[in-house]
């Protein structure tokens, strides 16, 4: 209640100065002091990007470049996985072993390895965000770790002699691990992994997949009964290590997503015979797991967009849905290269249909689109292939060609989630989730810190895709202006605040604000130019890990504009433009339009004049007119004596504005 009254008073105050250039509005406090409730007559416009210690060090080391491209000394950690996993449907449990080759491509030795154990979020005694698991489990239970053949003691005795490490101060640190009951564990190495060398990490583990009706949030429910399993973040994986901060120490809280190393995955999945399996990798042993009928269907060329059935809803069990197997089990062998994660699906009774997409590029390629879903959900997949095809083809033309050899839509309890080559989605979210194949599956941004660099970009491109499906040009008008209604909300975190800690407005910060920002950028340089530069950015950072500084610098250089002011106010603040027309006069065939900006964010001045003969013209003055610090600008429009009756500020609605009622003359 109090907050609404204060905002109401502020709005009345702003309306009170519309007719002239009055000074700031003051409110008398109970102690008699005067508080300024509006802006001063001058403002300092910041035009550069704040630089953290991490990004400064990266520039100095040459791993990042002021042009926004990877620097000459850029490097990134890589991790190659060989995983063997077995599903016990009755116990809802995965049991696995994995061998990870860690490629330390950095110039420094590694004294630790951080291990992500996301399934520990299903334990009761770990920090969580706004997600709620479907049930509590024992989490990710690690039973063995070895580094280059040396076994790590998972249950070390307590330190002797009153201090950690025992009595010999010169002895090397012991090989040890902490945090195995949390979502991020730390392995302390007795022998560092030398710069530009490799080490092999072996891990054995088991985890229970949670199910039931009580899960809230993506990835919090991973099975339907004991007949369909949708494993995600299901294996121990090496955390990201980069040139900005070293190890990524953000814990997994649920809502915010990931920052992973690229690498190669060789995965063998053992499930009951008759159960279909799909996933990130390309199937390597189809003759061992598929029926002759399915093999014959899959051998035919993808010569049409018409979907066809590989395994029908009446084909259930060994010998009908799959090969018979040995001992009632089958092992599906899948491989994927240059991916940053691996997700999969298995079910006792699934329908498998297929269509295709033709990926544009210098050499167009045809790839299969697979859809695996419960027969009772068939209506949710009638258009799924069509939607996915359009997304893959449209975004390939918009940004860069889809880089992977196939694409799969998977049914299950958690719909609306993305992994390399795979989306857990039906037709409802297929366009959005397919968009994630560009960010972060190809351009590997840090979602945990800067979720807007994937979810926000995705929301923007979904607007373009939706318009294209209707055969229309996308209209981004009004979106940038609408941010003025949110600016000033005390719950809003700036976009540069870590998404993992964004709080109750996480969704706005991560998803919704970026399209508004890019709407305004289109108002400054043109929408086609924004999309051209974004495409160049995607290609420059494909299978690498850009930061927000890289993105901002790249876009500024590509657009050939000094946009430091733009990125500063959108990314580091929650400020708005809040423009208005305060008066219009005429003299000598010209109109003088007095424009005011009460917000801290500047913008170009765009004025549309409507003439009495029902024609109109638009006049634009660059953002530079505000760099002298003034809040008012008198725009002189040479109308050549033509009579006019209306003037509109920001006619495209591109610049954030608290109150658009004062953007027109006359009122």
């Amino acid at each position: 209640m109090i907050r609404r009254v204060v905002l109401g008073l502020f709005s009345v105050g702003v309306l009170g100065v519309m007719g002239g250039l009055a000074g700031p509005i003051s409110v008398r406090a109970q102690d008699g002091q005067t508080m300024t409730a509006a802006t001063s007559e001058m403002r300092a416009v910041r035009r550069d990007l704040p630089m953290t210690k991490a990004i400064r060090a990266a520039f100095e080391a040459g791993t990042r470049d002021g042009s926004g491209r990877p620097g000459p000394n850029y490097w990134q950690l890589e991790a190659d996985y060989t995983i063997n996993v077995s599903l016990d449907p009755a116990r809802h449990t995965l049991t696995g072993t994995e061998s990870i080759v860690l490629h330390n491509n950095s110039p420094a030795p590694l004294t630790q390895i951080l291990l992500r154990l996301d399934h520990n979020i299903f334990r009761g005694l770990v920090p969580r965000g706004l997600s709620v698991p479907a049930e509590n489990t024992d989490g990710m239970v690690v039973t063995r770790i070895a580094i280059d053949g040396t076994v790590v003691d998972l249950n070390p005795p307590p330190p002797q002699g009153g201090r950690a490490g025992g009595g010999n101060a010169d002895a090397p640190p012991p090989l040890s691990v902490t945090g195995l009951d949390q979502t991020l564990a730390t392995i302390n190495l007795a022998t560092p992994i030398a710069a530009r060398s490799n080490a092999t990490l072996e891990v054995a583990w088991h985890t229970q997949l949670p199910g039931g009706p009580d899960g809230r949030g993506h990835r919090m429910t991973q099975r339907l009964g004991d007949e369909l399993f949708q494993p995600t973040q299901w294996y121990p994986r090496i955390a990201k290590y980069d040139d900005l901060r070293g190890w990524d120490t953000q814990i997994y809280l649920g809502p915010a997503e990931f920052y992973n190393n690229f690498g190669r995955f060789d995965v063998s999945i053992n499930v009951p015979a008759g159960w279909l399996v799909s996933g990130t990798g390309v199937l390597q042993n189809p003759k061992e797991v598929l029926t002759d009928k399915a093999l014959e269907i899959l051998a035919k060329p993808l010569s049409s967009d018409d979907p066809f059935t590989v395994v029908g809803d009446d084909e259930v069990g060994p010998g009908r849905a799959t090969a018979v197997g040995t001992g009632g089990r089958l092992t599906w062998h899948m491989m994927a290269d240059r991916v940053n994660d691996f997700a999969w699906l298995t079910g006792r009774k699934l329908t498998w249909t297929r269509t295709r997409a033709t990926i544009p590029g210098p050499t167009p390629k045809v790839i299969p689109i697979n859809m695996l879903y419960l027969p009772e959900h068939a209506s949710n997949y009638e258009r799924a292939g069509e939607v996915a095809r359009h997304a893959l083809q449209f975004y390939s033309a918009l940004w860069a060609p889809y880089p992977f050899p196939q694409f799969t839509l998977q049914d299950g309890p958690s719909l609306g989630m993305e992994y390399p080559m795979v989306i857990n989605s039906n037709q409802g979210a297929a366009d959005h989730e397919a968009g994630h194949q560009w960010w972060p599956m190809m351009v590997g941004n840090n979602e945990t810190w800067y979720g807007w660099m994937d979810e926000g970009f995705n929301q923007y491109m979904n607007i373009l895709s939706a318009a294209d499906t209707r055969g229309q040009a996308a209209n981004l008008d009004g979106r940038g202006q609408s941010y003025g209604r949110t600016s000033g909300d005390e719950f809003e975190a700036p976009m540069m605040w870590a998404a993992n800690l964004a709080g109750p407005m996480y969704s706005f910060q991560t998803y919704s604000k970026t399209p508004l920002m890019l709407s305004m950028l289109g108002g400054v340089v043109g929408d086609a130019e924004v999309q051209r530069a974004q495409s160049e950015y995607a290609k420059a950072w494909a299978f690498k890990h850009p930061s927000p500084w890289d993105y901002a610098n790249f876009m500024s250089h590509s657009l050939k504009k000094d946009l430091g002011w733009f990125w500063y106010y959108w990314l580091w603040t929650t400020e708005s433009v809040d423009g208005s027309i305060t008066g219009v006069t005429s003299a000598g065939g010209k109109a003088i339009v007095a424009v005011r900006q009460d917000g801290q964010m500047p913008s170009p001045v765009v004025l549309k004049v409507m003439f009495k003969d029902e024609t109109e013209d638009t006049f634009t003055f660059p953002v530079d007119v505000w760099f002298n610090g003034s809040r008012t600008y008198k725009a002189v429009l040479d109308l050549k004596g033509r009579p006019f009756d209306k003037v509109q500020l920001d006619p495209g609605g591109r610049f954030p504005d608290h109150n658009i009622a004062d953007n027109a003359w006359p009122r």
Side-chain angles (χ1 to χ4, degrees):
M1 286 296 272
I2 295 175
R3 184 165 165 266
R4 290 179 181 171
V5 170
V6 171
L7 289 174
L9 287 172
F10 181 74
S11 299
V12 170
V14 172
L15 289 170
V17 300
M18 286 182 184
L21 303 182
I25 304 161
S26 298
V27 178
R28 182 71 61 181
Q30 290 183 2
D31 60 5
Q33 294 190 22
T34 298
M35 303 178 296
T36 301
T39 53
S40 65
E41 286 302 311
M42 300 294 289
R43 62 177 170 178
V45 176
R46 182 161 182 173
R47 298 171 56 190
D48 64 335
L49 305 184
M51 301 283 283
T52 64
K53 295 177 181 178
I55 193 67
R56 287 183 187 277
F59 283 149
E60 291 170 3
T63 57
R64 313 273 162 163
D65 190 90
S67 69
R69 294 180 177 273
N73 299 327
Y74 178 81
W75 56 266
Q76 61 191 37
L77 206 71
E78 295 177 341
D80 297 333
Y81 292 78
T82 301
I83 304 176
N84 291 276
V85 62
S86 178
L87 169 68
D88 181 343
R91 295 176 58 237
H92 313 147
T93 299
L94 300 178
T95 301
T97 60
E98 60 191 85
S99 175
I100 313 168
V101 179
L102 188 161
H103 301 270
N104 179 17
N105 298 323
S106 81
L110 299 178
T111 60
Q112 295 178 322
I113 298 175
L114 267 61
L115 199 61
R116 295 211 167 272
L117 307 172
D118 288 0
H119 265 215
N120 276 336
I121 202 169
F122 304 134
R123 300 176 71 252
L125 300 176
V126 297
R128 291 177 184 161
L130 300 177
S131 297
V132 178
E135 62 177 320
N136 281 335
T137 71
D138 291 335
M140 177 60 70
V141 180
V142 175
T143 56
R144 181 179 183 273
I145 299 177
I147 309 293
D148 288 333
T150 302
V151 176
V152 180
D153 187 353
L154 304 185
N155 299 288
Q160 308 252 330
R163 62 178 177 173
N168 185 357
D170 297 325
L175 181 61
S176 61
V177 62
T178 59
L180 288 177
D181 60 347
Q182 300 296 306
T183 59
L184 187 66
T186 301
I187 303 171
N188 297 297
L189 302 174
T191 303
I193 303 169
R196 299 184 172 86
S197 70
N198 301 336
T200 300
L201 173 68
E202 298 170 64
V203 188
W205 50 270
H206 60 81
T207 188
Q208 181 182 341
L209 302 180
D214 298 325
R216 295 200 300 274
H218 288 316
R219 310 172 293 273
M220 295 296 104
T221 306
Q222 301 199 352
R223 64 180 174 84
L224 295 175
D226 56 6
E227 295 196 341
L228 183 146
F229 294 82
Q230 192 185 52
T232 55
Q233 289 101 263
W234 53 278
Y235 60 98
R237 67 183 189 275
I238 292 176
K240 190 75 189 83
Y241 181 88
D242 67 18
D243 60 310
L244 294 175
R245 302 180 186 90
W247 289 107
D248 176 28
T249 58
Q250 289 285 308
I251 61 174
Y252 178 48
L253 294 174
E257 292 170 0
F258 324 114
Y259 185 35
N260 294 332
N261 302 291
F262 287 107
R264 183 172 181 270
F265 282 77
D266 185 330
V267 181
S268 296
I269 302 169
N270 183 264
V271 299
W275 288 50
L276 289 173
V277 175
S278 62
T280 291
V282 175
L283 184 62
Q284 302 296 299
N285 61 337
K287 293 182 179 180
E288 297 176 18
V289 297
L290 299 179
T291 63
D292 291 341
K293 176 186 174 184
L295 289 169
E296 182 180 352
I297 293 171
L298 294 174
K300 296 178 181 178
L302 292 166
S303 57
S304 170
D305 289 346
D306 295 335
F308 57 91
T309 300
V310 180
V311 176
D313 56 8
D314 59 342
E315 296 174 295
V316 180
R320 303 197 69 208
T322 70
V324 174
T326 303
R329 308 278 298 187
L330 287 170
T331 297
W332 298 62
H333 181 200
M334 297 182 170
M335 293 182 65
D337 200 17
R338 281 209 310 178
V339 296
N340 54 18
D341 208 346
F342 192 106
W344 53 286
L345 171 77
T346 188
R348 187 188 68 83
K349 186 178 181 181
L350 292 171
T351 300
W352 177 6
T353 60
R354 190 177 244 205
T355 182
R356 70 173 186 174
T358 303
I359 306 302
T363 304
K365 65 177 181 179
V366 175
I367 65 163
I369 297 174
N370 299 294
M371 292 164 282
L372 286 91
Y373 52 88
L374 293 169
E376 58 266 33
H377 294 165
S379 63
N380 296 328
Y381 288 84
E382 288 177 352
R383 295 184 52 254
E386 175 188 344
V387 175
R389 178 188 310 113
H390 177 268
L392 295 176
Q393 295 175 173
F394 179 78
Y395 297 139
S396 291
L398 183 66
W399 305 136
Y402 177 72
F404 304 118
Q406 66 182 30
F407 187 72
T408 301
L409 296 90
Q410 301 181 153
D411 200 358
S414 179
L415 295 176
M417 190 57 209
E418 70 280 354
Y419 296 92
M421 300 189 221
V422 162
I423 60 173
N424 293 340
S425 177
N426 56 34
Q427 60 210 23
D431 183 84
H432 176 85
E433 303 309 337
H436 280 300
Q437 300 303 311
W438 281 263
W439 6 77
M441 305 310 165
M442 184 173 77
V443 180
N445 55 278
N446 185 341
E447 296 181 84
T448 310
W449 279 71
Y450 311 115
W452 59 270
M453 294 182 72
D454 74 296
E455 296 292 0
F457 290 162
N458 206 346
Q459 293 289 98
Y460 173 78
M461 62 202 253
N462 299 158
I463 297 168
L464 310 181
S465 177
D468 188 74
T469 60
R470 299 190 297 268
Q472 301 172 348
N475 184 358
L476 295 162
D477 285 354
R479 296 177 185 272
Q481 187 181 78
S482 71
Y483 175 60
R485 298 194 294 270
T486 301
S487 172
D489 192 308
E490 293 182 357
F491 282 114
E492 184 195 351
M495 293 166 75
M496 289 298 288
W497 186 262
N500 214 28
L501 308 173
M505 288 187 69
Y506 161 79
S507 180
F508 180 82
Q509 179 221 36
T510 302
Y511 289 77
S512 302
K513 190 173 179 180
T514 302
L516 314 185
M517 175 180 76
L518 295 180
S519 167
M520 175 166 171
L521 185 58
V524 177
V525 301
D527 294 327
E529 278 294 281
V530 172
Q531 292 152 29
R532 176 196 59 77
Q534 188 93 1
S535 171
E536 293 177 359
Y537 162 76
K539 293 166 184 171
W541 284 96
F543 301 102
K544 298 181 177 67
H545 303 284
S547 73
W549 292 271
D550 301 313
Y551 173 70
N553 286 330
F554 188 98
M555 295 292 283
S556 295
H557 277 77
S558 180
L559 294 167
K560 297 180 173 57
K561 293 278 188 180
D562 178 4
L563 293 170
W565 62 272
F566 178 88
W567 303 117
Y568 170 70
Y569 286 101
W570 274 100
L571 299 180
W572 274 270
T573 81
T574 58
E575 302 287 357
S576 66
V577 173
D578 198 13
S580 61
I581 295 176
T582 60
V584 177
T585 58
S586 300
K590 298 179 180 180
I592 299 93
V593 182
V595 177
R596 181 175 176 85
Q597 290 189 352
D598 281 308
Q600 291 300 106
M601 179 193 293
S603 77
V605 175
V606 181
L607 296 164
K608 183 169 74 172
V609 178
M610 286 146 278
F611 297 97
K612 290 185 180 295
D613 62 4
E614 298 186 351
T615 61
E616 57 187 42
D617 201 356
T618 300
F619 299 81
T620 300
F621 301 83
V623 69
D624 311 47
V625 302
W626 303 109
F627 289 169
N628 64 2
S630 174
R631 288 191 175 277
T632 59
Y633 176 70
K634 291 187 177 181
V636 179
L637 315 182
D638 187 358
L639 306 182
K640 298 183 171 37
R642 297 173 64 194
F644 65 98
D645 53 15
K646 293 181 183 178
V647 182
Q648 179 72 41
L649 175 66
D650 186 19
R654 297 297 185 119
F655 310 135
D657 205 334
H658 286 301
N659 177 22
I660 64 174
D662 56 11
N663 287 6
W665 179 91
R667 292 284 179 266

